[in-house]
Amino acid sequence: VKWDMNRSITECYSKALLPERQGEVFHRYILGVYELYDRLNRNFPHVLFESCASGGGRFDPGLLYYAPQCWTSDDSDGVERQKIQYGTSYVYPISSMGAHVSITPNHQLNRITPLKTRGDVAAFGAFGYELDLARLTAEERELVREQVRFVKKYRKLIHTGTFYRLLSPFDGNFTAWMVVSADRRQALVAYFKLLNDVNREYRRLFLHGLDESLLYRMTEDHVEKGSFYGSELMNIGMLTTDASAGEVPQGEEPCCDFWSRIVVLEAEN
């Protein structure tokens, strides 16, 4: 059950309290929300409740006890979501973030972004779609199937692994994060470019959380990219150079604005 209450608290006052105690009203309101959620959870223990970040400031760590999933924002644009999910991850696990692939042009920003990018961002959360599948092309529907297969395959890793923030979307043209399994034998690395550029330097991304002694097989879009030790990937870095450095790597398409890639790392030994 997705519980929206998109209405901020205004004219906040209680006749039950004296004037000097009116400052308690906001706190008492939140305690009342907790109490209501508690009753619902006890009476309907098999229902998953999803809360919402807007209206009344109900998205707080305490609420995760009652509603372990939250809709972080109605702004579902694939670019804006990089900031929303990156920032939210400082306090909340990514498994708690409702993250959906929505339409393009986006209904709020009117921005046009690739379906792949929207899917790559949403994969690192409680993944879903909110669009009319009948309006997608045959090629887009096949990509949706592939995205769903990917998320189902790696959902446990995404939701239970250790999440690392690598490049902040608030600091530049790139966003990067990764998630590593508890045994450090498996990892996913997501890398996003906001705007395309030209004649750029070769780039490397320094990874975190891997086992230095393990050899990891690197795969992107079912294409093997070689094998590298954890020590290499963390201290020398993972090559993230793209066509903007002067040439298109063999077998790859030129990148564009709002571009993304997800790299899978699997331990070989």
Side-chain angles (χ1 to χ4, degrees), residues 141-152:
R141 289 197 294 272
E142 181 54 40
L143 179 54
V144 166
R145 295 185 186 98
E146 177 59 31
Q147 289 174 342
V148 171
R149 285 191 292 265
F150 178 87
V151 169
K152 286 184 175 181

Side-chain angles (χ1 to χ4, degrees), residues 6-218:
N6 289 331
R7 165 74 154 80
S8 298
I9 305 174
T10 58
E11 294 81 42
C12 183
Y13 179 83
S14 173
K15 291 185 177 180
L17 298 175
L18 296 173
E20 60 269 20
R21 296 184 62 191
Q22 291 302 311
E24 301 176 21
V25 176
F26 281 107
H27 183 227
R28 289 174 177 269
Y29 163 75
I30 294 297
L31 294 180
V33 172
Y34 286 171
E35 196 276 333
L36 178 55
Y37 264 111
D38 184 61
R39 276 189 284 153
L40 291 170
N41 274 278
R42 283 188 282 106
N43 288 319
F44 307 99
H46 301 299
V47 174
L48 171 65
F49 289 97
E50 179 184 87
S51 63
C52 177
S54 294
R58 296 177 318 285
F59 188 24
D60 59 80
L63 198 58
L64 288 181
Y65 178 82
Y66 308 102
Q69 186 169 307
C70 180
W71 183 238
T72 48
S73 176
D74 283 341
D75 185 349
S76 56
D77 171 68
V79 176
E80 292 282 290
R81 275 285 170 155
Q82 293 172 36
K83 291 183 177 180
I84 292 168
Q85 293 173 214
Y86 190 99
T88 305
S89 73
Y90 276 98
V91 179
Y92 304 90
I94 62 174
S95 60
S96 70
M97 304 179 204
H100 292 175
V101 180
S102 63
I103 63 172
T104 188
N106 180 262
H107 63 283
Q108 288 188 318
L109 280 81
N110 204 39
R111 178 183 283 145
I112 298 174
T113 54
L115 177 58
K116 172 175 167 41
T117 299
R118 284 175 275 149
D120 287 352
V121 175
F124 292 85
F127 183 81
Y129 290 86
E130 49 178 290
L131 45 75
D132 186 351
L133 291 171
R135 296 191 176 188
L136 300 182
T137 65
E139 182 180 359
E140 288 173 329
R141 289 197 294 272
E142 181 54 40
L143 179 54
V144 166
R145 295 185 186 98
E146 177 59 31
Q147 289 174 342
V148 171
R149 285 191 292 265
F150 178 87
V151 169
K152 286 184 175 181
K153 181 177 181 179
Y154 294 106
R155 182 160 46 200
K156 183 177 180 181
L157 168 61
I158 294 169
H159 286 183
T160 64
T162 302
F163 185 73
Y164 293 91
R165 293 172 293 272
L166 304 178
L167 295 176
S168 171
F170 299 96
D171 294 338
N173 198 40
F174 299 93
T175 303
W177 55 57
M178 65 183 293
V179 62
V180 183
S181 62
D183 61 6
R184 297 191 290 177
R185 296 187 60 82
Q186 192 178 51
L188 299 178
V189 183
Y191 180 78
F192 307 93
K193 177 191 283 193
L194 179 61
L195 297 178
N196 203 9
D197 44 10
V198 66
N199 295 332
R200 302 305 301 172
E201 71 280 3
Y202 274 58
R203 300 183 176 105
R204 291 182 180 271
L205 179 66
F206 295 95
L207 307 187
H208 294 287
L210 303 177
D211 188 319
E212 290 191 350
S213 64
L214 289 179
L215 184 65
Y216 293 91
R217 182 175 63 257
M218 182 183 296

Side-chain angles (χ1 to χ4, degrees), residues 232-253:
E232 294 180 78
L233 296 170
M234 291 189 292
N235 297 308
I236 301 176
M238 182 184 77
L239 193 66
T240 57
T241 305
D242 54 56
S244 65
E247 63 180 50
V248 180
Q250 186 175 3
E252 294 186 12
E253 294 183 359

